[in-house]
PDB file of all heavy atoms in Angstrom:
ATOM      1  N   ASP U  75       4.548  53.096  52.233  1.00  0.00           N
ATOM      2  CA  ASP U  75       4.867  52.679  53.606  1.00  0.00           C
ATOM      3  C   ASP U  75       4.477  51.217  53.824  1.00  0.00           C
ATOM      4  O   ASP U  75       5.208  50.454  54.449  1.00  0.00           O
ATOM      5  CB  ASP U  75       4.169  53.582  54.621  1.00  0.00           C
ATOM      6  CG  ASP U  75       4.576  53.249  56.044  1.00  0.00           C
ATOM      7  OD1 ASP U  75       5.789  53.217  56.327  1.00  0.00           O
ATOM      8  OD2 ASP U  75       3.672  53.011  56.866  1.00  0.00           O
ATOM      9  N   GLU U  76       3.331  50.810  53.297  1.00  0.00           N
ATOM     10  CA  GLU U  76       2.899  49.420  53.415  1.00  0.00           C
ATOM     11  C   GLU U  76       3.801  48.482  52.614  1.00  0.00           C
ATOM     12  O   GLU U  76       4.082  47.362  53.044  1.00  0.00           O
ATOM     13  CB  GLU U  76       1.444  49.272  52.973  1.00  0.00           C
ATOM     14  CG  GLU U  76       0.463  49.890  53.943  1.00  0.00           C
ATOM     15  CD  GLU U  76      -0.970  49.873  53.442  1.00  0.00           C
ATOM     16  OE1 GLU U  76      -1.202  49.728  52.223  1.00  0.00           O
ATOM     17  OE2 GLU U  76      -1.869  50.004  54.295  1.00  0.00           O
ATOM     18  N   VAL U  77       4.275  48.944  51.470  1.00  0.00           N
ATOM     19  CA  VAL U  77       5.212  48.136  50.667  1.00  0.00           C
ATOM     20  C   VAL U  77       6.500  47.941  51.470  1.00  0.00           C
ATOM     21  O   VAL U  77       7.018  46.820  51.571  1.00  0.00           O
ATOM     22  CB  VAL U  77       5.522  48.794  49.307  1.00  0.00           C
ATOM     23  CG1 VAL U  77       6.651  48.070  48.595  1.00  0.00           C
ATOM     24  CG2 VAL U  77       4.281  48.848  48.432  1.00  0.00           C
ATOM     25  N   GLU U  78       7.012  49.019  52.036  1.00  0.00           N
ATOM     26  CA  GLU U  78       8.243  48.918  52.826  1.00  0.00           C
ATOM     27  C   GLU U  78       8.050  47.999  54.026  1.00  0.00           C
ATOM     28  O   GLU U  78       8.907  47.175  54.326  1.00  0.00           O
ATOM     29  CB  GLU U  78       8.718  50.300  53.264  1.00  0.00           C
ATOM     30  CG  GLU U  78       9.290  51.090  52.122  1.00  0.00           C
ATOM     31  CD  GLU U  78       9.949  52.384  52.566  1.00  0.00           C
ATOM     32  OE1 GLU U  78       9.991  52.673  53.778  1.00  0.00           O
ATOM     33  OE2 GLU U  78      10.419  53.102  51.685  1.00  0.00           O
ATOM     34  N   THR U  79       6.924  48.112  54.704  1.00  0.00           N
ATOM     35  CA  THR U  79       6.645  47.238  55.840  1.00  0.00           C
ATOM     36  C   THR U  79       6.588  45.788  55.385  1.00  0.00           C
ATOM     37  O   THR U  79       7.102  44.893  56.053  1.00  0.00           O
ATOM     38  CB  THR U  79       5.329  47.637  56.532  1.00  0.00           C
ATOM     39  OG1 THR U  79       5.459  48.966  57.013  1.00  0.00           O
ATOM     40  CG2 THR U  79       5.009  46.709  57.691  1.00  0.00           C
ATOM     41  N   PHE U  80       6.005  45.554  54.251  1.00  0.00           N
ATOM     42  CA  PHE U  80       5.937  44.211  53.686  1.00  0.00           C
ATOM     43  C   PHE U  80       7.344  43.662  53.457  1.00  0.00           C
ATOM     44  O   PHE U  80       7.621  42.501  53.738  1.00  0.00           O
ATOM     45  CB  PHE U  80       5.153  44.251  52.380  1.00  0.00           C
ATOM     46  CG  PHE U  80       4.934  42.916  51.763  1.00  0.00           C
ATOM     47  CD1 PHE U  80       3.894  42.107  52.189  1.00  0.00           C
ATOM     48  CD2 PHE U  80       5.760  42.455  50.766  1.00  0.00           C
ATOM     49  CE1 PHE U  80       3.687  40.858  51.626  1.00  0.00           C
ATOM     50  CE2 PHE U  80       5.569  41.212  50.198  1.00  0.00           C
ATOM     51  CZ  PHE U  80       4.530  40.410  50.630  1.00  0.00           C
ATOM     52  N   LEU U  81       8.247  44.498  52.961  1.00  0.00           N
ATOM     53  CA  LEU U  81       9.617  44.069  52.638  1.00  0.00           C
ATOM     54  C   LEU U  81      10.469  43.770  53.856  1.00  0.00           C
ATOM     55  O   LEU U  81      11.252  42.840  53.855  1.00  0.00           O
ATOM     56  CB  LEU U  81      10.333  45.129  51.798  1.00  0.00           C
ATOM     57  CG  LEU U  81       9.902  45.256  50.365  1.00  0.00           C
ATOM     58  CD1 LEU U  81      10.586  46.446  49.709  1.00  0.00           C
ATOM     59  CD2 LEU U  81      10.232  43.982  49.616  1.00  0.00           C
ATOM     60  N   HIS U  82      10.357  44.581  54.908  1.00  0.00           N
ATOM     61  CA  HIS U  82      11.291  44.438  56.030  1.00  0.00           C
ATOM     62  C   HIS U  82      10.635  44.418  57.400  1.00  0.00           C
ATOM     63  O   HIS U  82      11.326  44.327  58.414  1.00  0.00           O
ATOM     64  CB  HIS U  82      12.361  45.521  55.995  1.00  0.00           C
ATOM     65  CG  HIS U  82      11.817  46.913  55.917  1.00  0.00           C
ATOM     66  ND1 HIS U  82      11.118  47.515  56.934  1.00  0.00           N
ATOM     67  CD2 HIS U  82      11.878  47.811  54.909  1.00  0.00           C
ATOM     68  CE1 HIS U  82      10.775  48.741  56.567  1.00  0.00           C
ATOM     69  NE2 HIS U  82      11.210  48.940  55.346  1.00  0.00           N
ATOM     70  N   ASN U  83       9.321  44.516  57.463  1.00  0.00           N
ATOM     71  CA  ASN U  83       8.595  44.454  58.733  1.00  0.00           C
ATOM     72  C   ASN U  83       9.126  45.455  59.761  1.00  0.00           C
ATOM     73  O   ASN U  83       9.240  45.161  60.939  1.00  0.00           O
ATOM     74  CB  ASN U  83       8.608  43.032  59.300  1.00  0.00           C
ATOM     75  CG  ASN U  83       7.491  42.801  60.280  1.00  0.00           C
ATOM     76  OD1 ASN U  83       6.466  43.468  60.231  1.00  0.00           O
ATOM     77  ND2 ASN U  83       7.683  41.850  61.173  1.00  0.00           N
ATOM     78  N   ARG U  84       9.515  46.632  59.289  1.00  0.00           N
ATOM     79  CA  ARG U  84      10.002  47.756  60.102  1.00  0.00           C
ATOM     80  C   ARG U  84      11.344  47.506  60.781  1.00  0.00           C
ATOM     81  O   ARG U  84      11.817  48.312  61.539  1.00  0.00           O
ATOM     82  CB  ARG U  84       8.963  48.202  61.116  1.00  0.00           C
ATOM     83  CG  ARG U  84       7.672  48.647  60.464  1.00  0.00           C
ATOM     84  CD  ARG U  84       6.968  49.709  61.270  1.00  0.00           C
ATOM     85  NE  ARG U  84       5.665  50.006  60.732  1.00  0.00           N
ATOM     86  CZ  ARG U  84       5.441  50.834  59.721  1.00  0.00           C
ATOM     87  NH1 ARG U  84       6.440  51.432  59.133  1.00  0.00           N
ATOM     88  NH2 ARG U  84       4.223  51.056  59.306  1.00  0.00           N
ATOM     89  N   GLU U  85      11.978  46.383  60.535  1.00  0.00           N
ATOM     90  CA  GLU U  85      13.323  46.097  61.035  1.00  0.00           C
ATOM     91  C   GLU U  85      14.105  45.401  59.937  1.00  0.00           C
ATOM     92  O   GLU U  85      14.813  46.025  59.194  1.00  0.00           O
ATOM     93  CB  GLU U  85      13.269  45.263  62.312  1.00  0.00           C
ATOM     94  CG  GLU U  85      12.746  46.047  63.502  1.00  0.00           C
ATOM     95  CD  GLU U  85      12.744  45.231  64.777  1.00  0.00           C
ATOM     96  OE1 GLU U  85      13.435  44.197  64.835  1.00  0.00           O
ATOM     97  OE2 GLU U  85      12.051  45.647  65.712  1.00  0.00           O
ATOM     98  N   GLU U  86      13.939  44.079  59.863  1.00  0.00           N
ATOM     99  CA  GLU U  86      14.544  43.321  58.779  1.00  0.00           C
ATOM    100  C   GLU U  86      13.759  42.042  58.584  1.00  0.00           C
ATOM    101  O   GLU U  86      13.092  41.557  59.491  1.00  0.00           O
ATOM    102  CB  GLU U  86      16.022  43.015  59.030  1.00  0.00           C
ATOM    103  CG  GLU U  86      16.286  42.059  60.157  1.00  0.00           C
ATOM    104  CD  GLU U  86      17.773  41.778  60.340  1.00  0.00           C
ATOM    105  OE1 GLU U  86      18.600  42.627  59.978  1.00  0.00           O
ATOM    106  OE2 GLU U  86      18.081  40.700  60.859  1.00  0.00           O
ATOM    107  N   LYS U  87      13.816  41.537  57.363  1.00  0.00           N
ATOM    108  CA  LYS U  87      13.094  40.317  57.038  1.00  0.00           C
ATOM    109  C   LYS U  87      13.951  39.487  56.087  1.00  0.00           C
ATOM    110  O   LYS U  87      14.624  40.030  55.214  1.00  0.00           O
ATOM    111  CB  LYS U  87      11.769  40.654  56.375  1.00  0.00           C
ATOM    112  CG  LYS U  87      10.861  39.449  56.184  1.00  0.00           C
ATOM    113  CD  LYS U  87       9.559  39.836  55.539  1.00  0.00           C
ATOM    114  CE  LYS U  87       8.679  40.525  56.546  1.00  0.00           C
ATOM    115  NZ  LYS U  87       7.338  40.794  56.042  1.00  0.00           N
ATOM    116  N   THR U  88      13.892  38.162  56.280  1.00  0.00           N
ATOM    117  CA  THR U  88      14.639  37.242  55.429  1.00  0.00           C
ATOM    118  C   THR U  88      13.720  36.677  54.361  1.00  0.00           C
ATOM    119  O   THR U  88      12.616  36.227  54.650  1.00  0.00           O
ATOM    120  CB  THR U  88      15.232  36.087  56.267  1.00  0.00           C
ATOM    121  OG1 THR U  88      16.106  36.648  57.252  1.00  0.00           O
ATOM    122  CG2 THR U  88      16.007  35.114  55.394  1.00  0.00           C
ATOM    123  N   TRP U  89      14.207  36.701  53.110  1.00  0.00           N
ATOM    124  CA  TRP U  89      13.480  36.185  51.962  1.00  0.00           C
ATOM    125  C   TRP U  89      14.281  35.031  51.358  1.00  0.00           C
ATOM    126  O   TRP U  89      15.499  35.119  51.235  1.00  0.00           O
ATOM    127  CB  TRP U  89      13.289  37.282  50.928  1.00  0.00           C
ATOM    128  CG  TRP U  89      12.385  38.365  51.419  1.00  0.00           C
ATOM    129  CD1 TRP U  89      12.725  39.475  52.129  1.00  0.00           C
ATOM    130  CD2 TRP U  89      10.979  38.417  51.263  1.00  0.00           C
ATOM    131  NE1 TRP U  89      11.613  40.221  52.415  1.00  0.00           N
ATOM    132  CE2 TRP U  89      10.525  39.589  51.885  1.00  0.00           C
ATOM    133  CE3 TRP U  89      10.052  37.586  50.636  1.00  0.00           C
ATOM    134  CZ2 TRP U  89       9.187  39.951  51.909  1.00  0.00           C
ATOM    135  CZ3 TRP U  89       8.718  37.950  50.658  1.00  0.00           C
ATOM    136  CH2 TRP U  89       8.298  39.128  51.301  1.00  0.00           C
ATOM    137  N   SER U  90      13.574  33.989  50.952  1.00  0.00           N
ATOM    138  CA  SER U  90      14.205  32.816  50.350  1.00  0.00           C
ATOM    139  C   SER U  90      13.685  32.610  48.936  1.00  0.00           C
ATOM    140  O   SER U  90      12.486  32.754  48.682  1.00  0.00           O
ATOM    141  CB  SER U  90      13.892  31.560  51.176  1.00  0.00           C
ATOM    142  OG  SER U  90      14.351  31.711  52.496  1.00  0.00           O
ATOM    143  N   ALA U  91      14.591  32.243  48.031  1.00  0.00           N
ATOM    144  CA  ALA U  91      14.201  31.986  46.646  1.00  0.00           C
ATOM    145  C   ALA U  91      13.283  30.777  46.587  1.00  0.00           C
ATOM    146  O   ALA U  91      13.528  29.763  47.229  1.00  0.00           O
ATOM    147  CB  ALA U  91      15.432  31.757  45.783  1.00  0.00           C
ATOM    148  N   GLN U  92      12.214  30.916  45.821  1.00  0.00           N
ATOM    149  CA  GLN U  92      11.282  29.811  45.622  1.00  0.00           C
ATOM    150  C   GLN U  92      11.383  29.306  44.188  1.00  0.00           C
ATOM    151  O   GLN U  92      11.448  28.105  43.962  1.00  0.00           O
ATOM    152  CB  GLN U  92       9.861  30.270  45.931  1.00  0.00           C
ATOM    153  CG  GLN U  92       8.835  29.169  45.871  1.00  0.00           C
ATOM    154  CD  GLN U  92       7.458  29.668  46.273  1.00  0.00           C
ATOM    155  OE1 GLN U  92       7.087  30.813  45.997  1.00  0.00           O
ATOM    156  NE2 GLN U  92       6.690  28.808  46.913  1.00  0.00           N
ATOM    157  N   THR U  93      11.393  30.227  43.224  1.00  0.00           N
ATOM    158  CA  THR U  93      11.601  29.877  41.816  1.00  0.00           C
ATOM    159  C   THR U  93      12.500  30.935  41.205  1.00  0.00           C
ATOM    160  O   THR U  93      12.527  32.088  41.645  1.00  0.00           O
ATOM    161  CB  THR U  93      10.288  29.823  41.012  1.00  0.00           C
ATOM    162  OG1 THR U  93       9.699  31.130  40.985  1.00  0.00           O
ATOM    163  CG2 THR U  93       9.310  28.824  41.604  1.00  0.00           C
ATOM    164  N   PHE U  94      13.243  30.541  40.174  1.00  0.00           N
ATOM    165  CA  PHE U  94      14.100  31.483  39.459  1.00  0.00           C
ATOM    166  C   PHE U  94      14.343  30.939  38.063  1.00  0.00           C
ATOM    167  O   PHE U  94      14.776  29.800  37.913  1.00  0.00           O
ATOM    168  CB  PHE U  94      15.445  31.662  40.174  1.00  0.00           C
ATOM    169  CG  PHE U  94      16.294  32.738  39.568  1.00  0.00           C
ATOM    170  CD1 PHE U  94      16.170  34.047  39.980  1.00  0.00           C
ATOM    171  CD2 PHE U  94      17.193  32.440  38.560  1.00  0.00           C
ATOM    172  CE1 PHE U  94      16.932  35.056  39.425  1.00  0.00           C
ATOM    173  CE2 PHE U  94      17.960  33.441  37.981  1.00  0.00           C
ATOM    174  CZ  PHE U  94      17.825  34.748  38.419  1.00  0.00           C
ATOM    175  N   THR U  95      14.034  31.732  37.043  1.00  0.00           N
ATOM    176  CA  THR U  95      14.272  31.301  35.669  1.00  0.00           C
ATOM    177  C   THR U  95      14.936  32.423  34.876  1.00  0.00           C
ATOM    178  O   THR U  95      14.630  33.598  35.061  1.00  0.00           O
ATOM    179  CB  THR U  95      12.969  30.888  34.952  1.00  0.00           C
ATOM    180  OG1 THR U  95      12.062  31.999  34.949  1.00  0.00           O
ATOM    181  CG2 THR U  95      12.314  29.699  35.645  1.00  0.00           C
ATOM    182  N   LEU U  96      15.839  32.041  34.019  1.00  0.00           N
ATOM    183  CA  LEU U  96      16.484  32.938  33.075  1.00  0.00           C
ATOM    184  C   LEU U  96      16.180  32.357  31.709  1.00  0.00           C
ATOM    185  O   LEU U  96      16.578  31.218  31.409  1.00  0.00           O
ATOM    186  CB  LEU U  96      17.988  33.005  33.322  1.00  0.00           C
ATOM    187  CG  LEU U  96      18.828  33.837  32.355  1.00  0.00           C
ATOM    188  CD1 LEU U  96      18.363  35.290  32.351  1.00  0.00           C
ATOM    189  CD2 LEU U  96      20.290  33.761  32.718  1.00  0.00           C
ATOM    190  N   ALA U  97      15.442  33.085  30.883  1.00  0.00           N
ATOM    191  CA  ALA U  97      14.984  32.595  29.584  1.00  0.00           C
ATOM    192  C   ALA U  97      16.121  31.941  28.812  1.00  0.00           C
ATOM    193  O   ALA U  97      17.233  32.470  28.761  1.00  0.00           O
ATOM    194  CB  ALA U  97      14.380  33.738  28.786  1.00  0.00           C
ATOM    195  N   THR U  98      15.843  30.815  28.243  1.00  0.00           N
ATOM    196  CA  THR U  98      16.721  30.012  27.376  1.00  0.00           C
ATOM    197  C   THR U  98      17.873  29.323  28.087  1.00  0.00           C
ATOM    198  O   THR U  98      18.626  28.598  27.451  1.00  0.00           O
ATOM    199  CB  THR U  98      17.294  30.816  26.192  1.00  0.00           C
ATOM    200  OG1 THR U  98      18.288  31.738  26.655  1.00  0.00           O
ATOM    201  CG2 THR U  98      16.220  31.556  25.411  1.00  0.00           C
ATOM    202  N   LEU U  99      18.038  29.484  29.376  1.00  0.00           N
ATOM    203  CA  LEU U  99      19.135  28.830  30.083  1.00  0.00           C
ATOM    204  C   LEU U  99      18.580  27.827  31.083  1.00  0.00           C
ATOM    205  O   LEU U  99      18.412  28.124  32.258  1.00  0.00           O
ATOM    206  CB  LEU U  99      20.025  29.857  30.787  1.00  0.00           C
ATOM    207  CG  LEU U  99      20.782  30.817  29.884  1.00  0.00           C
ATOM    208  CD1 LEU U  99      21.597  31.791  30.718  1.00  0.00           C
ATOM    209  CD2 LEU U  99      21.696  30.060  28.927  1.00  0.00           C
ATOM    210  N   GLU U 100      18.307  26.633  30.621  1.00  0.00           N
ATOM    211  CA  GLU U 100      17.765  25.604  31.502  1.00  0.00           C
ATOM    212  C   GLU U 100      18.812  25.178  32.520  1.00  0.00           C
ATOM    213  O   GLU U 100      19.986  25.113  32.228  1.00  0.00           O
ATOM    214  CB  GLU U 100      17.313  24.402  30.685  1.00  0.00           C
ATOM    215  CG  GLU U 100      16.116  24.709  29.805  1.00  0.00           C
ATOM    216  CD  GLU U 100      15.614  23.485  29.084  1.00  0.00           C
ATOM    217  OE1 GLU U 100      15.738  22.368  29.627  1.00  0.00           O
ATOM    218  OE2 GLU U 100      15.101  23.662  27.972  1.00  0.00           O
ATOM    219  N   GLY U 101      18.364  24.894  33.724  1.00  0.00           N
ATOM    220  CA  GLY U 101      19.249  24.439  34.787  1.00  0.00           C
ATOM    221  C   GLY U 101      19.912  25.559  35.562  1.00  0.00           C
ATOM    222  O   GLY U 101      20.384  25.348  36.660  1.00  0.00           O
ATOM    223  N   PHE U 102      19.944  26.749  35.006  1.00  0.00           N
ATOM    224  CA  PHE U 102      20.562  27.885  35.690  1.00  0.00           C
ATOM    225  C   PHE U 102      19.890  28.160  37.017  1.00  0.00           C
ATOM    226  O   PHE U 102      20.534  28.469  37.995  1.00  0.00           O
ATOM    227  CB  PHE U 102      20.512  29.132  34.801  1.00  0.00           C
ATOM    228  CG  PHE U 102      21.009  30.365  35.495  1.00  0.00           C
ATOM    229  CD1 PHE U 102      22.362  30.573  35.663  1.00  0.00           C
ATOM    230  CD2 PHE U 102      20.130  31.297  36.005  1.00  0.00           C
ATOM    231  CE1 PHE U 102      22.835  31.702  36.317  1.00  0.00           C
ATOM    232  CE2 PHE U 102      20.592  32.423  36.658  1.00  0.00           C
ATOM    233  CZ  PHE U 102      21.940  32.618  36.809  1.00  0.00           C
ATOM    234  N   GLN U 103      18.578  28.028  37.039  1.00  0.00           N
ATOM    235  CA  GLN U 103      17.822  28.374  38.238  1.00  0.00           C
ATOM    236  C   GLN U 103      18.178  27.516  39.440  1.00  0.00           C
ATOM    237  O   GLN U 103      18.008  27.938  40.564  1.00  0.00           O
ATOM    238  CB  GLN U 103      16.315  28.327  37.976  1.00  0.00           C
ATOM    239  CG  GLN U 103      15.767  26.961  37.651  1.00  0.00           C
ATOM    240  CD  GLN U 103      15.888  26.570  36.190  1.00  0.00           C
ATOM    241  OE1 GLN U 103      16.534  27.239  35.395  1.00  0.00           O
ATOM    242  NE2 GLN U 103      15.265  25.478  35.824  1.00  0.00           N
ATOM    243  N   ASN U 104      18.683  26.319  39.246  1.00  0.00           N
ATOM    244  CA  ASN U 104      18.980  25.445  40.380  1.00  0.00           C
ATOM    245  C   ASN U 104      19.973  26.056  41.351  1.00  0.00           C
ATOM    246  O   ASN U 104      19.860  25.859  42.560  1.00  0.00           O
ATOM    247  CB  ASN U 104      19.470  24.087  39.889  1.00  0.00           C
ATOM    248  CG  ASN U 104      18.375  23.324  39.195  1.00  0.00           C
ATOM    249  OD1 ASN U 104      17.200  23.500  39.480  1.00  0.00           O
ATOM    250  ND2 ASN U 104      18.753  22.481  38.250  1.00  0.00           N
ATOM    251  N   CYS U 105      20.948  26.787  40.865  1.00  0.00           N
ATOM    252  CA  CYS U 105      21.927  27.393  41.760  1.00  0.00           C
ATOM    253  C   CYS U 105      21.375  28.608  42.493  1.00  0.00           C
ATOM    254  O   CYS U 105      22.012  29.126  43.398  1.00  0.00           O
ATOM    255  CB  CYS U 105      23.201  27.754  41.006  1.00  0.00           C
ATOM    256  SG  CYS U 105      22.985  29.001  39.727  1.00  0.00           S
ATOM    257  N   ARG U 106      20.190  29.071  42.146  1.00  0.00           N
ATOM    258  CA  ARG U 106      19.555  30.218  42.813  1.00  0.00           C
ATOM    259  C   ARG U 106      18.574  29.793  43.912  1.00  0.00           C
ATOM    260  O   ARG U 106      18.176  30.608  44.730  1.00  0.00           O
ATOM    261  CB  ARG U 106      18.784  31.075  41.802  1.00  0.00           C
ATOM    262  CG  ARG U 106      19.660  31.795  40.832  1.00  0.00           C
ATOM    263  CD  ARG U 106      20.326  32.967  41.504  1.00  0.00           C
ATOM    264  NE  ARG U 106      21.280  33.557  40.601  1.00  0.00           N
ATOM    265  CZ  ARG U 106      22.509  33.914  40.948  1.00  0.00           C
ATOM    266  NH1 ARG U 106      22.909  33.758  42.186  1.00  0.00           N
ATOM    267  NH2 ARG U 106      23.322  34.431  40.087  1.00  0.00           N
ATOM    268  N   LEU U 107      18.185  28.530  43.921  1.00  0.00           N
ATOM    269  CA  LEU U 107      17.120  28.105  44.815  1.00  0.00           C
ATOM    270  C   LEU U 107      17.524  28.009  46.279  1.00  0.00           C
ATOM    271  O   LEU U 107      16.665  27.862  47.147  1.00  0.00           O
ATOM    272  CB  LEU U 107      16.517  26.784  44.328  1.00  0.00           C
ATOM    273  CG  LEU U 107      15.865  26.884  42.944  1.00  0.00           C
ATOM    274  CD1 LEU U 107      15.284  25.542  42.537  1.00  0.00           C
ATOM    275  CD2 LEU U 107      14.800  27.979  42.906  1.00  0.00           C
ATOM    276  N   ASP U 108      18.825  28.131  46.577  1.00  0.00           N
ATOM    277  CA  ASP U 108      19.252  28.157  47.979  1.00  0.00           C
ATOM    278  C   ASP U 108      19.681  29.562  48.408  1.00  0.00           C
ATOM    279  O   ASP U 108      20.253  29.748  49.470  1.00  0.00           O
ATOM    280  CB  ASP U 108      20.373  27.144  48.241  1.00  0.00           C
ATOM    281  CG  ASP U 108      21.651  27.441  47.478  1.00  0.00           C
ATOM    282  OD1 ASP U 108      21.647  28.315  46.579  1.00  0.00           O
ATOM    283  OD2 ASP U 108      22.673  26.798  47.774  1.00  0.00           O
ATOM    284  N   ASP U 109      19.360  30.566  47.590  1.00  0.00           N
ATOM    285  CA  ASP U 109      19.714  31.953  47.889  1.00  0.00           C
ATOM    286  C   ASP U 109      18.750  32.555  48.909  1.00  0.00           C
ATOM    287  O   ASP U 109      17.554  32.246  48.906  1.00  0.00           O
ATOM    288  CB  ASP U 109      19.664  32.810  46.625  1.00  0.00           C
ATOM    289  CG  ASP U 109      20.713  32.420  45.596  1.00  0.00           C
ATOM    290  OD1 ASP U 109      21.429  31.418  45.809  1.00  0.00           O
ATOM    291  OD2 ASP U 109      20.798  33.111  44.569  1.00  0.00           O
ATOM    292  N   THR U 110      19.276  33.410  49.778  1.00  0.00           N
ATOM    293  CA  THR U 110      18.450  34.159  50.717  1.00  0.00           C
ATOM    294  C   THR U 110      18.902  35.614  50.733  1.00  0.00           C
ATOM    295  O   THR U 110      20.040  35.920  50.379  1.00  0.00           O
ATOM    296  CB  THR U 110      18.531  33.599  52.162  1.00  0.00           C
ATOM    297  OG1 THR U 110      19.868  33.679  52.614  1.00  0.00           O
ATOM    298  CG2 THR U 110      18.023  32.167  52.237  1.00  0.00           C
ATOM    299  N   MET U 111      18.000  36.472  51.150  1.00  0.00           N
ATOM    300  CA  MET U 111      18.332  37.882  51.264  1.00  0.00           C
ATOM    301  C   MET U 111      17.647  38.454  52.490  1.00  0.00           C
ATOM    302  O   MET U 111      16.483  38.179  52.735  1.00  0.00           O
ATOM    303  CB  MET U 111      17.888  38.658  50.022  1.00  0.00           C
ATOM    304  CG  MET U 111      18.187  40.142  50.110  1.00  0.00           C
ATOM    305  SD  MET U 111      17.642  41.047  48.658  1.00  0.00           S
ATOM    306  CE  MET U 111      19.097  40.905  47.654  1.00  0.00           C
ATOM    307  N   ILE U 112      18.402  39.229  53.248  1.00  0.00           N
ATOM    308  CA  ILE U 112      17.839  39.947  54.388  1.00  0.00           C
ATOM    309  C   ILE U 112      17.679  41.401  53.967  1.00  0.00           C
ATOM    310  O   ILE U 112      18.655  42.051  53.592  1.00  0.00           O
ATOM    311  CB  ILE U 112      18.746  39.839  55.627  1.00  0.00           C
ATOM    312  CG1 ILE U 112      18.886  38.379  56.058  1.00  0.00           C
ATOM    313  CG2 ILE U 112      18.188  40.703  56.760  1.00  0.00           C
ATOM    314  CD1 ILE U 112      19.925  38.158  57.148  1.00  0.00           C
ATOM    315  N   ILE U 113      16.447  41.886  54.002  1.00  0.00           N
ATOM    316  CA  ILE U 113      16.154  43.275  53.668  1.00  0.00           C
ATOM    317  C   ILE U 113      15.969  44.031  54.982  1.00  0.00           C
ATOM    318  O   ILE U 113      15.165  43.643  55.832  1.00  0.00           O
ATOM    319  CB  ILE U 113      14.877  43.389  52.824  1.00  0.00           C
ATOM    320  CG1 ILE U 113      15.021  42.600  51.525  1.00  0.00           C
ATOM    321  CG2 ILE U 113      14.520  44.851  52.563  1.00  0.00           C
ATOM    322  CD1 ILE U 113      16.070  43.121  50.587  1.00  0.00           C
ATOM    323  N   SER U 114      16.702  45.116  55.140  1.00  0.00           N
ATOM    324  CA  SER U 114      16.636  45.911  56.368  1.00  0.00           C
ATOM    325  C   SER U 114      15.936  47.242  56.126  1.00  0.00           C
ATOM    326  O   SER U 114      15.994  47.799  55.026  1.00  0.00           O
ATOM    327  CB  SER U 114      18.043  46.168  56.900  1.00  0.00           C
ATOM    328  OG  SER U 114      18.668  44.947  57.222  1.00  0.00           O
TER     329      SER U 114
END
């Protein structure tokens, strides 16, 4: 229940990418750094 509350704060919460890496593919992460997700 606490994990779920952390994820969506009992309604919805917006998360923004801070870092993203895919092993052996340099530069790939740059296109992920402006991604956001709303968890409901």
Side-chain angles (χ1 to χ4, degrees):
D75 185 53
E76 289 174 341
V77 171
E78 287 188 1
T79 299
F80 184 83
L81 287 174
H82 53 68
N83 201 25
R84 300 210 187 277
E85 290 182 18
E86 68 179 26
K87 188 179 285 187
T88 300
W89 293 88
S90 301
Q92 185 176 35
T93 64
F94 187 88
T95 59
L96 176 59
T98 72
L99 295 179
E100 293 184 31
F102 174 77
Q103 65 276 9
N104 292 332
C105 64
R106 292 285 174 225
L107 298 180
D108 64 349
D109 294 5
T110 61
M111 179 181 271
I112 298 172
I113 301 295
S114 298

